[in-house]
Amino acid sequence: MRNKGRIAALLLAAALIALAVSACGKNGGKSGELRTVKFSEVIRSIFYAPHYVAMSRGFFEDEGLNVDMNTAQGSDKGAAALIAGTADISLVGPETTIYIFNQKGEKTLKAFHQLTDKDGSFLLSREQLDDFEWSDLSGKTVLGWRPGSAPQMVLNSMLIKEGTEGVNVITNIASPALAGAFASGQGDFIQLFEPVASTLVQEGRAHYVASLGEAFGEFPETSYVATSDYIKNHPDVIQSFVNAVAKGAEWLNTASDDDIAKALAPFFEGTSDELILQSVNRYKNQGTWPTHPELTQGQFDTLQNVLVENGVLKDAERVANMDDIVDMSFVHKLGKTE
């Protein structure tokens, strides 16, 4: 009887150890509770699908992280949240790191993961246009994004590139109100992200005419950014965050349509599976999500050229050393075992 009791005790102990090991595995090998990361996204868009996949599929939890997400509605607000300490990590335009660096304040920001390398907006028209040319915008009104934002600057640089003049771009309508303003009769064209763009088209209120991402080409539109101090003090959190998002992007490339729609649906209530998948495929087809999410020197040069061209950065204010505001060391460790 004593032996049976001893064996039972050993079996119970083994079971408890197995449960503990399993729990560690779910937390990426990290012991203890999940670490909460205060996260701010610039807007809600399928443009950032890999991030939502990482949340819904549990990739962040696998890495030991709990992501507490809010939507800032602007890169300026997302950057301000980092400086104020109300966010640990923000998904914003990397130009914010340049602006903060040039202010020479107590805090600097660094981009550590390049989520997208194309603009994510699409140009829609009120009237059907069979053969759109950029010159069709001359004398027309476009509902666009706030001054200094990445989509606004990409559109303006595109107009400069095409030599299109006389375009009235409205930039004082808040992004959540853009689609409603167009639906109510304002503007001849509108610049929107997915899934709002496809929703407006499906409702018969607009017609698709062009992808700014395809037309403009490679552009580092949105990066994960944190303060230099946070990155220095929490390198394990940053690495875990990068790992999780990279898993999300990889999963998107192989998952079935049903699984993709199921993963993204909680973040886009009221949007049909059909529109979710159409939006994902539209971004996939234009090469939005890089296989290796690194902000390269070439992309950084393109970014600064666009900022100068749009008058938000003086030529003398260019950041000479990209490493001052970019740290891709965590991306370089992807796929490598410790």
Side-chain angles (χ1 to χ4, degrees):
M1 294 295 294
R2 289 181 180 178
N3 287 337
K4 288 183 178 179
R6 188 175 300 169
I7 291 172
L10 290 172
L11 289 173
L12 176 60
L16 291 173
I17 291 172
L19 286 172
V21 170
S22 175
C24 285
K26 290 181 179 180
N27 288 337
K30 302 172 180 63
S31 60
E33 298 180 357
L34 297 178
R35 299 179 65 174
T36 296
V37 176
K38 296 177 291 184
F39 171 70
S40 174
E41 62 172 354
V42 57
I43 59 172
R44 179 62 52 86
S45 171
I46 290 177
F47 192 42
Y48 311 126
H51 182 92
Y52 309 131
V53 165
M55 292 185 71
S56 65
R57 298 289 297 182
F59 297 149
F60 283 114
E61 286 86 349
D62 289 346
E63 290 289 334
L65 302 179
N66 169 51
V67 177
D68 181 11
M69 182 169 68
N70 70 79
T71 307
Q73 300 296 353
S75 287
D76 53 341
K77 297 180 180 65
L82 294 175
I83 298 299
T86 57
D88 300 319
I89 295 172
S90 288
L91 180 62
V92 294
E95 70 275 3
T96 57
T97 65
I98 297 173
Y99 300 152
I100 299 300
F101 180 80
N102 283 334
Q103 289 177 6
K104 307 299 182 183
E106 294 182 359
K107 294 184 178 181
T108 57
L109 305 181
K110 281 194 172 185
F112 61 84
H113 182 290
Q114 187 60 40
L115 183 62
T116 65
D117 60 8
K118 294 281 176 61
D119 179 77
S121 65
F122 299 89
L123 189 67
L124 310 179
S125 63
R126 187 171 300 283
E127 304 296 333
Q128 178 73 48
L129 295 175
D130 294 329
D131 297 303
F132 172 76
E133 300 289 344
W134 289 96
S135 57
D136 292 335
L137 297 179
S138 294
K140 302 296 184 180
T141 297
V142 180
L143 301 190
W145 293 67
R146 67 172 179 81
S149 65
Q152 181 271 325
M153 290 188 291
V154 167
L155 174 60
N156 189 55
S157 289
M158 193 67 206
L159 295 177
I160 293 172
K161 177 182 177 181
E162 294 292 326
T164 305
E165 299 179 348
V167 185
N168 178 27
V169 181
I170 304 297
T171 59
N172 62 356
I173 300 175
S175 56
L178 278 171
F182 190 78
S184 68
Q186 296 186 50
D188 304 299
F189 293 84
I190 187 169
Q191 183 184 10
L192 290 173
F193 285 71
E194 292 290 11
V196 182
S198 288
T199 300
L200 211 59
V201 171
Q202 186 183 64
E203 292 173 350
R205 300 177 182 272
H207 303 273
Y208 174 87
V209 293
S211 160
L212 269 297
E214 289 181 357
F216 189 77
E218 192 169 272
F219 181 75
E221 181 138 319
T222 330
S223 308
Y224 288 104
V225 174
T227 64
S228 299
D229 288 342
Y230 187 86
I231 293 174
K232 178 181 179 181
N233 296 329
H234 304 283
D236 54 336
V237 172
I238 298 297
Q239 188 64 63
S240 294
F241 201 97
V242 167
N243 294 346
V245 177
K247 289 177 185 177
E250 183 178 0
W251 183 88
L252 267 176
N253 288 327
T254 58
S256 68
D257 286 350
D258 287 345
D259 286 342
I260 291 174
K262 183 179 179 180
L264 295 177
F267 301 93
F268 300 95
E269 293 183 6
T271 303
S272 68
D273 289 355
E274 177 187 0
L275 285 187
I276 287 175
L277 292 171
Q278 179 178 310
S279 301
V280 169
N281 288 330
R282 187 165 279 171
Y283 282 129
K284 277 186 177 181
N285 291 339
Q286 71 174 32
T288 296
W289 304 305
T291 303
H292 190 63
E294 179 179 5
L295 176 56
T296 66
Q297 183 66 57
Q299 292 174 333
F300 188 71
D301 292 342
T302 296
L303 173 65
Q304 295 207 100
N305 290 340
V306 168
L307 298 180
V308 171
E309 184 175 53
N310 281 270
V312 298
L313 182 73
K314 296 179 181 179
D315 198 58
E317 294 175 334
R318 290 176 184 262
V319 176
N321 184 5
M322 186 177 76
D323 292 341
D324 287 336
I325 53 176
V326 174
D327 182 355
M328 291 291 126
S329 63
F330 302 96
V331 169
H332 293 162
K333 294 177 183 177
L334 285 172
K336 297 180 180 180
T337 56
E338 295 181 359

